[in-house]
Amino acid sequence: AQTVTQSQPEMSVQEAETVTLSCTYDTSESNYYLFWYKQPPSRQMILVIRQEAYKQQNATENRFSVNFQKAAKSFSLKISDSQLGDTAMYFCAFMKHGKSGGGADGLTFGKGTHLIIQP
Amino acid sequence: DTGVSQNPRHKITKRGQNVTFRCDPISEHNRLYWYRQTLGQGPEFLTYFQNEAQLEKSRLLSDRFSAERPKGSFSTLEIQRTEQGDSAMYLCASSYASGGTRLINYGYTFGSGTRLTVV
């Protein structure tokens, strides 16, 4: 079974600062996906960024980037030039690449990090 | 396409009653997933369908939980004889998994969830 650990229950930074959210995971799989999801208060879960384990290059999406260290089983999220709208719960998630093509066991989520962007 | 739709948004029920939730996925998506999220936790995978076939149901929390996806379109999640511990947010997600020589899951889109309160 996979486990995902987010060691920072809450983080608070000033607007425009850069913030890094930590995530580590444990798995015996070699082929998998990693995701960061954002869940604003009372709003739906939104995909922020995804990384395929076979790709060595770190994924980037505008102000969001990841530092994927496969050997260390680490997958941190960096948010540059943080904005008030970035305030939300952030979940790190793991998905095994199943025989039938992804998602065979669904996503395994961490407990989340509550990110607060201060004006 | 308006995304993944879940109904109702909120449900209050008395202990021992049965409840049913509905999820309408994105029409092009062939996979549909159900998750449960309790307060302060990340979502927990329950079950998933590819088209009308339920490919994983061992993670359903008990035999009181069941899910269907007739005709491979919308899905329903039923909880029989509800208990107070069933109070949670129930999330639905859909995705597209491509076949061929390389099966790739293009990532999930989540609905806004159904919040269940058992009194």
Side-chain angles (χ1 to χ4, degrees), chain A residues 45-89:
Chain A
M45 194 87 70
I46 302 167
L47 177 65
V48 175
I49 199 165
R50 73 178 240 161
Q51 175 84 38
E52 290 159 309
Y54 73 91
K55 291 186 176 179
Q56 293 186 337
Q57 185 174 6
N58 289 326
T60 63
E61 288 286 342
N62 302 312
R63 297 183 294 108
F64 299 88
S65 62
V66 299
N67 183 3
F68 173 47
Q69 301 289 328
K70 190 173 184 179
K73 296 181 181 174
S74 170
F75 184 61
S76 61
L77 174 70
K78 185 171 82 171
I79 305 173
S80 303
D81 185 26
S82 56
Q83 300 173 0
L84 297 178
D86 295 333
T87 293
M89 284 293 295

Side-chain angles (χ1 to χ4, degrees), chain A residues 33 35 37 39 42 44-45 50 52 54 91 95 97 99-107 109-111, chain B residues 9 31 33 35 37 40-43 45 48 56 59 91 97 102-108 110-112:
Chain A
Y33 306 93
F35 304 85
Y37 278 89
Q39 189 175 41
S42 301
Q44 69 190 92
M45 194 87 70
R50 73 178 240 161
E52 290 159 309
Y54 73 91
F91 292 97
M95 184 170 75
H97 192 292
K99 293 178 184 178
S100 54
D105 289 340
L107 287 163
F109 285 86
K111 290 188 176 183
Chain B
R9 292 293 303 274
R31 289 195 173 187
Y33 302 80
Y35 288 81
Q37 186 177 21
Q41 301 293 319
F45 170 66
Y48 91 103
E56 174 60 62
R59 306 275 284 276
L91 298 171
R102 180 147 175 224
L103 294 170
I104 301 171
N105 189 306
Y106 291 97
Y108 290 38
F110 279 86
S112 298

Side-chain angles (χ1 to χ4, degrees), chain A residues 1-2 96 104-109, chain B residues 34-35 43-48 56-62 65:
Chain A
Q2 289 70 232
K96 183 172 70 173
D105 289 340
L107 287 163
T108 299
F109 285 86
Chain B
W34 284 100
Y35 288 81
E44 176 185 12
F45 170 66
L46 297 178
T47 187
Y48 91 103
E56 174 60 62
K57 56 182 179 181
S58 66
R59 306 275 284 276
L60 286 167
L61 300 164
S62 77
F65 288 72

Side-chain angles (χ1 to χ4, degrees), chain B residues 44-108:
Chain B
E44 176 185 12
F45 170 66
L46 297 178
T47 187
Y48 91 103
F49 295 84
Q50 176 150 328
N51 301 315
E52 66 274 12
Q54 190 172 12
L55 298 187
E56 174 60 62
K57 56 182 179 181
S58 66
R59 306 275 284 276
L60 286 167
L61 300 164
S62 77
D63 58 7
R64 298 184 297 106
F65 288 72
S66 63
E68 293 183 345
R69 192 183 183 196
K71 303 178 184 177
S73 56
F74 71 91
S75 176
T76 57
L77 178 69
E78 181 182 16
I79 309 174
Q80 296 182 327
R81 305 181 302 281
T82 53
E83 302 173 355
Q84 287 190 318
D86 297 332
S87 295
M89 176 76 83
Y90 290 85
L91 298 171
C92 176
S94 68
S95 72
Y96 179 74
S98 171
T101 56
R102 180 147 175 224
L103 294 170
I104 301 171
N105 189 306
Y106 291 97
Y108 290 38

